[in-house]
Amino acid sequence: MLGSHTGVTAALEPCGSTDHPDCGIRDVLDRIGDKWSVLVIVELASGVRRFRELQRAIDGISQRMLTLTVRRLERDGLLTRTVYPTVPAQVTYELTARGSGLTHLVKQLADWSLEHKGAIGRSRDLYDEQNPDHAIR
Amino acid sequence: MLGSHTGVTAALEPCGSTDHPDCGIRDVLDRIGDKWSVLVIVELASGVRRFRELQRAIDGISQRMLTLTVRRLERDGLLTRTVYPTVPAQVTYELTARGSGLTHLVKQLADWSLEHKGAIGRSRDLYDEQNPDHAIR
DNA sequence: CGGAATCCAGCGCGATACTG
DNA sequence: CAGTATCGCGCTGGATTCCG
């Protein structure tokens, strides 16, 4: 685990080279790198959800941001939006197969995060302690 | 592949619940979700680099953002900064073991991205075509 | 070369109010 | 319930200038 491979695959090769503005990574990060997308995806990983269910589950999200977030995820084909023309309108959201695939990757990121959370926190404290000058964030 | 597991692990469980502001994911995303960190990590995955080498390799990055980015990555213990007190100052950056671990995850994201890039693009075009009204981005 | 400091534009996102 | 519309602030990040 220590001597992990530093090899880079084709997906990363042309990254940032002069001819390529960036590698494909930015596409994913622009989608899941924002404040809420991942939380929506994670919540939907547990099953179908309605709008208010999502909003209640994802603590702190405004209805505006939830609207925008699910809209973008739908546009990218990561989830499906289903409208039932009932009396009070009812809309459900569900991950597509593509979205579920992303869930798998997100899970790995979450695992990695939890694994290193403590060590990273200690690194930060140590850094801030040794560099009292630049209080970067 | 269709009936992919929707199971969520411990890392994702308490995500966004009322008692937990978020799951650990935000920590990683706050680091790699920004505009440049991933590109720096990817470039360093190929080996040790100097400041200007990074700047030239990562097309479009300003020296300000490169400084801030490597600073934060260093603070999190994802890379090491080495200063050689030569005549014109010389500084090199190198991934730590922890940083290399992240590289592995980033690689998977990049692979996933390339794999679905085409399909996602088509999804977007279709969506925009069917919803000429809201031109969300 | 490798930064630090300053100024400034964009827009991400929150708060609030209104609609079908 | 599930949105849409408007306003405004804060933070990210770009451009420029100066320093050791």
Side-chain angles (χ1 to χ4, degrees), chain B residues 50-52 63 67 71 81 93 137:
Chain B
R50 298 181 51 174
F51 189 87
R52 302 235 41 124
Q63 64 74 262
T67 299
R71 193 77 78 209
R81 196 178 96 108
Y93 298 90
R137 138 107 43 161

Side-chain angles (χ1 to χ4, degrees), chain A residues 50-52 63 67 71 81 91 93 137:
Chain A
R50 300 180 51 174
F51 189 87
R52 302 241 31 133
Q63 52 71 275
T67 299
R71 194 79 77 209
R81 194 178 97 109
V91 183
Y93 297 91
R137 132 125 37 181

